[in-house]
Amino acid sequence: MTIFSQNTLIFQQTKNFSKNDFAILDSSGMQIAHVDTGGSTLGRMFVGARELTVFDGPDNPVIVVKDTMTMGRDRFEILDGNGSPLASLVKRITFFKTKVSISMLGEELELLGSIWDFDFQITGPGGVLGTVTREWSGMGNALMGKSTYAVRLAENLTRQQRQAVIGSVLALDLIREKQQRNS
């Protein structure tokens, strides 16, 4: 099993003060991949997670999400497992609203719905690429700040599009975590 052969992926967060890792499950609940938090423990304690790597099997990185240090806007780069660029994501502050723009392989993507409640669609010129919905993970997990959400990918996506969409969803989780930490 691989994340590239599944159209429904369930992300289960396993979070503590210095990590923001995920287990990625298929629709039947079997773990098929995992996400590890990169960077130093001390750095993660003070500024939070700044890099996430998706592993599709042991020692097989397939997606890397990097929070690039800038003044002002949050910017993220989504790379494949070899470090080749797939997409970039920028958080923009508009009048009374936060907007996120994604540039994927030369295409501009749009997020429709509530990105902060993890109930949205990622759309592009060819239609809907993916849908994200929050799943209930239980009262204990909710109190601990853990979340579970489903990512449903369009069937006709290429491997690079799948990588970019999955990486973008993880970048949005990092933005949401930063915003919670700063409020």
Side-chain angles (χ1 to χ4, degrees), residues 9-66:
L9 301 171
I10 309 298
F11 286 67
Q12 286 187 333
Q13 191 176 40
T14 54
K15 184 177 177 180
N16 67 30
F17 70 95
S18 69
K19 289 191 335 182
N20 193 24
D21 296 345
F22 294 84
I24 301 177
L25 315 173
D26 65 11
S27 58
S28 68
M30 177 183 289
Q31 184 170 341
I32 56 173
H34 68 281
V35 181
D36 285 344
T37 307
S40 72
T41 302
L42 189 60
R44 290 190 314 254
M45 286 173 54
F46 288 107
V47 295
R50 301 197 54 86
E51 183 176 313
L52 297 176
T53 303
V54 179
F55 289 89
D56 191 17
D59 300 320
N60 185 25
V62 292
I63 303 167
V64 177
V65 177
K66 290 188 175 188

Side-chain angles (χ1 to χ4, degrees), residues 113-124:
S114 175
I115 58 174
W116 306 124
D117 292 330
F118 271 70
D119 186 18
F120 62 91
Q121 290 182 326
I122 300 173
T123 63

Side-chain angles (χ1 to χ4, degrees), residues 158-178:
T158 65
R159 178 183 172 107
Q160 288 181 317
Q161 288 173 320
R162 287 174 179 268
Q163 288 170 301
V165 169
I166 292 166
S168 295
V169 171
L170 289 169
L172 288 170
D173 198 88
L174 289 177
I175 288 172
R176 186 174 58 94
E177 178 189 342
K178 271 183 167 181

Side-chain angles (χ1 to χ4, degrees), residues 76-129:
F76 293 84
E77 295 300 321
I78 294 108
L79 312 166
D80 69 13
N82 297 318
S84 298
L86 295 166
S88 60
L89 187 139
V90 178
K91 177 180 141 185
R92 302 181 189 284
I93 306 297
T94 59
F95 197 60
F96 294 118
K97 190 173 185 180
T98 301
K99 185 174 180 172
V100 176
S101 61
I102 301 171
S103 179
M104 176 190 74
L105 306 169
E107 295 180 354
E108 294 302 314
L109 304 183
E110 189 174 356
L111 301 174
L112 303 173
S114 175
I115 58 174
W116 306 124
D117 292 330
F118 271 70
D119 186 18
F120 62 91
Q121 290 182 326
I122 300 173
T123 63
V128 176
L129 301 173

